[in-house]
Amino acid sequence: MNYHIIPVTDFMQNCTILWCEQSKDAAIVDPGGDAQSLVAYIEQQQLTVRKILLTHAHIDHAGATAELAAKFDCPIEGPHQDDKFWIDALPQQSQMFGFPKVDGFSPTRWLNQGDEITVGQHTLEVRHCPGHTPGHVVFVDQAAKFAIVGDVIFKNSIGRTDFPKGDHATLINAIKQQILSLPDDMTLLPGHGPTTTVARERQNNPYIR
């Protein structure tokens, strides 16, 4: 599985383009905005977008979802259904944070712990990691040794828990159960900032040491 990270919006959210080298089938993970930049890269690489994946439904991760789903005529998979209230509130989120007006959407498929997602010939494992939002999920490619972790964990930090239905203890438990249980050499692709590894966060992250 190949991936390319494109920071989008004023929040510099890491939107990830995943694709299968053999088929050129692709998925867009967390398209928070700047749809034109994402489309330009996809067209440059001659990829075929088969689905949009969401780790959670905050505006900087989901703002361009409806626009791109219509553009590529593709399904939306994720997050977990407990984030439905955040999807319903996307218009209010866009006003609150000064984003362009966004169109509403309903995921084609809600995701749960243990679900699998295919991208071409590759498979992603879904892990439910609540705490930042109640419906947050992460996507793990065991073969390629990377995980897209959204706003669960960052390099030397963790996601905020002061949003509605966030919970610090729940987040720490999710990190310990679902992230630190991954192999030490697993690369973590967070929603903001640089990539890291499970080993590096286990050793250095002050919130979970």
Side-chain angles (χ1 to χ4, degrees):
M1 181 91 80
N2 293 332
Y3 68 82
H4 180 72
I5 297 171
I6 302 175
V8 297
T9 83
D10 291 344
F11 288 77
M12 297 301 289
Q13 191 279 124
N14 291 329
C15 176
T16 303
I17 311 297
L18 300 175
W19 72 95
C20 169
E21 185 62 38
Q22 292 82 4
S23 66
K24 297 294 185 180
D25 287 348
I28 307 173
V29 186
D30 287 356
D34 299 340
Q36 295 89 341
S37 297
L38 303 178
V39 171
Y41 182 82
I42 289 162
E43 292 179 345
Q44 178 188 27
Q45 298 298 317
Q46 299 182 325
L47 305 176
T48 302
V49 176
R50 299 296 187 186
K51 57 192 66 178
I52 294 172
L53 307 178
L54 297 179
T55 63
H56 64 295
H58 284 162
I59 185 70
D60 58 325
H61 290 253
T65 299
E67 179 180 355
L68 290 171
K71 162 73 176 176
F72 293 111
D73 190 23
C74 66
I76 301 163
E77 300 191 17
H80 183 282
Q81 192 164 8
D82 285 351
D83 261 21
K84 182 180 184 299
F85 79 103
W86 277 119
I87 293 176
D88 294 341
L90 279 171
Q92 290 84 357
Q93 290 187 62
S94 66
Q95 291 181 352
M96 182 181 303
F97 293 106
F99 276 62
K101 183 180 180 296
V102 299
D103 294 324
F105 64 89
S106 295
T108 313
R109 176 190 179 196
W110 297 107
L111 297 175
N112 296 292
Q113 175 77 15
D115 282 348
E116 291 185 343
I117 297 167
T118 58
V119 181
Q121 300 179 25
H122 300 270
T123 301
L124 300 172
E125 171 195 346
V126 176
R127 296 193 174 199
H128 183 206
C129 293
H132 177 66
T133 70
H136 201 302
V137 295
V138 305
F139 305 113
V140 181
D141 187 327
Q142 295 281 5
K145 293 188 176 181
F146 70 83
I148 299 174
V149 296
D151 287 358
V152 171
I153 188 169
F154 308 109
K155 184 177 180 180
N156 297 329
S157 190
I158 60 173
R160 292 174 58 176
T161 56
D162 56 338
F163 294 116
K165 299 188 181 181
D167 184 81
H168 180 80
T170 299
L171 178 63
I172 296 299
N173 183 66
I175 292 171
K176 290 180 176 179
Q177 296 296 320
Q178 304 297 342
I179 305 299
L180 298 187
S181 61
L182 295 169
D184 278 353
D185 60 350
M186 181 76 68
T187 297
L188 304 179
L189 281 57
H192 305 266
T195 62
T196 184
T197 66
V198 170
R200 187 177 296 132
E201 295 317 298
R202 190 194 308 279
Q203 295 166 5
N204 299 320
N205 194 312
Y207 295 93
I208 56 176
R209 267 192 313 210

